[in-house]
Amino acid sequence: MPESPTRIVLDTNVLYAGLYSASGKSYQLLKAIAEGRVRISLSTPLLFEYEDVLKRNQAVLSLSDAEVEVVLDNLCAIADLQAVYFLWRPCLPDANDDMVLELAVAAQVPRIVSFNAKDFRPASRFGIEVVTPKIMLEELQ
C-alpha cells in the first residue's frame, strides 16, 4: 500500500515565495504539493488571504487576474477543505497567523510550513510543528 502524503497547512508567505521564484525551496514544495507528495489543508479565510496577497502583488509576481484565479482554483481542487468552528484567538502575534493555526488544529494537521516559525511558537501547545520549506523538503527525501 502506498504511503499517504504528508499533511500540512501552507502559510501565505511560502505560497508567495514559491510563485515569486522558481529556484527556491518554496517552489519545490509547491511542486511536491502538485505531485501529490504533500497534501494541504485549506479554509475559506486562508483562501481569501491567499487571494488578497497574490492580487496585491500581481505586478511583482508577473501574474494576471486570470493566472491568480487558476492558482487559487488549483489549490482548492487539490486541498483538503476544512471548516473552522473554534477560534483560539488571540494566540499568536499576528491575527492572520492565528487563522493558520486554527486551521491546523481543526484539520488535525501535524505541520505548518512557514518562514515565521518564531511567531508560531505557541503552536507546539497544540502538538503542531512549524517548519520551513527547506526542512519540509528534507523530510520528504
Side-chain angles (χ1 to χ4, degrees):
M1 182 174 233
E3 189 177 314
S4 61
T6 301
R7 297 174 56 234
I8 65 167
V9 173
L10 188 70
D11 196 3
T12 309
N13 58 31
V14 178
L15 174 62
Y16 177 89
L19 294 173
Y20 180 75
S21 171
S23 64
K25 299 295 183 191
S26 296
Y27 178 79
Q28 291 175 23
L29 182 58
L30 291 181
K31 282 181 56 177
I33 292 166
E35 293 165 356
R37 294 188 299 135
V38 177
R39 226 38 222 154
I40 61 168
S41 290
L42 188 59
S43 65
T44 301
L46 185 56
L47 177 65
F48 286 151
E49 180 177 276
Y50 287 173
E51 179 181 40
D52 177 54
V53 169
L54 297 183
K55 288 194 173 182
R56 271 189 290 126
N57 294 284
Q58 281 180 270
V60 174
L61 295 171
S62 300
L63 294 174
S64 67
D65 278 336
E67 290 167 326
V68 168
E69 293 302 322
V70 167
V71 167
L72 298 173
D73 288 347
N74 287 338
L75 288 172
C76 288
I78 62 176
D80 295 323
L81 303 178
Q82 176 67 49
V84 177
Y85 296 104
F86 191 83
L87 304 181
W88 295 96
R89 297 168 195 222
C91 186
L92 304 174
D94 181 345
N96 290 333
D97 289 342
D98 276 330
M99 121 175 70
V100 173
L101 176 59
E102 290 161 353
L103 170 58
V105 171
Q108 298 178 339
V109 171
R111 286 193 183 93
I112 295 169
V113 180
S114 176
F115 289 111
N116 295 332
K118 72 175 179 61
D119 292 343
F120 279 99
R121 281 191 192 121
S124 65
R125 292 191 314 226
F126 299 94
I128 297 169
E129 181 182 21
V130 181
V131 298
T132 63
K134 178 182 180 202
I135 291 170
M136 187 73 237
L137 289 167
E138 287 170 358
E139 291 177 7
L140 289 175
Q141 302 296 322

